[in-house]
Amino acid sequence: MKGLLLLCLIFFCEGQRSSACPHGCSCHGSQVDCSGRSFTSSSLPTGFPAGTTDLRLHNNLLTHLPNGLLDNLISFQSVSLHGNPWVCDCGVLYLRAWLLRQPASQASHLGVNCTSPPNLRGRLVVYLSEEEVLDSCYYWYCDLALASQVCLFIFVLVQAVLLVAIVMFMRKFERMSKEARRTTEESFTAGEDQRSNVYVSLKESSI
């Protein structure tokens, strides 16, 4: 009995939560207005009441929509998405697929234009081909790969310069060592010759 009561309470709370007005938005009946609130894709409410018929998300800072965000809106009649800086990379695939499922008469796609990447700027998201979107997914990977190659080249160049410097230092050290050894040998030989001359002179004097 307690378990059944707890289950009913959970369902009641979930129902209340699903029908509550999202934080930061204003609600009037089945209309949910989240427009002009500077919402970003990460700060956007995670869900909307299931009975929403008019959802306004225009004039925010949305670059993409989280996957599944609009899937529970089975009663909606209009959604406004214009005035957002949509980034047409992999993150826009959900929005594109959702727009393609909507009747053209609802005009949900109007004003939903790409702001980046540069080659897709101004294009309507709904009219992008899947190949175009997938190609745009990789453009920053190319930049990253190029930057990695440049860093690798610089690293190899620095290593080569250090290696050349070490080789030159070793050769200079070897040359200095040879010169020091030759100087020592010459000094020793000169000393030996000088002692020999002194000995000869003393011997001759004694005779």
Side-chain angles (χ1 to χ4, degrees), residues 22-62:
H23 178 70
C25 303
S26 61
C27 299
H28 306 282
S30 60
Q31 180 193 90
V32 179
D33 187 359
C34 302
S35 62
R37 263 76 169 183
S38 297
F39 280 123
T40 63
S41 299
S42 58
S43 65
L44 193 66
T46 56
F48 303 98
T52 300
T53 59
D54 182 11
L55 177 60
R56 301 180 180 182
L57 297 175
H58 57 274
N59 296 337
N60 282 298
L61 301 174
L62 304 176

Side-chain angles (χ1 to χ4, degrees), residues 143-197:
D143 293 340
L144 181 61
L146 179 61
S148 299
Q149 290 179 354
V150 171
C151 291
L152 180 60
F153 173 76
I154 293 175
F155 175 77
V156 172
L157 181 63
V158 170
Q159 295 296 315
V161 171
L162 289 176
L163 181 60
V164 170
I166 291 174
V167 170
M168 292 179 63
F169 174 79
M170 293 299 294
R171 288 182 177 178
K172 184 177 180 180
F173 179 78
E174 183 180 3
R175 186 167 59 252
M176 291 175 63
S177 298
K178 288 181 178 179
E179 291 177 356
R181 188 163 50 249
R182 185 170 58 253
T183 302
T184 302
E185 290 176 354
E186 290 175 354
S187 299
F188 179 78
T189 303
E192 286 293 321
D193 292 341
Q194 186 176 7
R195 284 194 293 273
S196 297
N197 292 334

Side-chain angles (χ1 to χ4, degrees), residues 38-165:
S38 297
F39 280 123
T40 63
S41 299
S42 58
S43 65
L44 193 66
T46 56
F48 303 98
T52 300
T53 59
D54 182 11
L55 177 60
R56 301 180 180 182
L57 297 175
H58 57 274
N59 296 337
N60 282 298
L61 301 174
L62 304 176
T63 56
H64 67 277
L65 291 183
N67 291 340
L69 179 68
L70 305 177
D71 292 347
N72 69 327
L73 301 182
I74 56 177
S75 304
F76 82 97
Q77 298 174 2
S78 65
V79 176
S80 59
L81 298 165
H82 59 274
N84 287 292
W86 302 108
V87 176
C88 294
D89 57 9
C90 295
V92 84
L93 286 173
Y94 168 73
L95 174 60
R96 173 183 173 274
W98 186 87
L99 290 172
L100 286 172
R101 294 196 301 267
Q102 310 313 309
S105 59
Q106 290 184 350
S108 300
H109 64 282
L110 295 180
V112 186
N113 302 83
C114 303
T115 58
S116 64
N119 62 309
L120 298 179
R121 184 176 295 129
R123 296 278 302 278
L124 284 171
V125 172
V126 71
Y127 293 141
L128 295 176
S129 67
E130 189 170 342
E131 290 75 17
E132 287 177 312
V133 177
L134 292 177
D135 286 344
S136 69
C137 292
Y138 307 124
Y139 76 95
W140 67 271
Y141 286 107
C142 297
D143 293 340
L144 181 61
L146 179 61
S148 299
Q149 290 179 354
V150 171
C151 291
L152 180 60
F153 173 76
I154 293 175
F155 175 77
V156 172
L157 181 63
V158 170
Q159 295 296 315
V161 171
L162 289 176
L163 181 60
V164 170

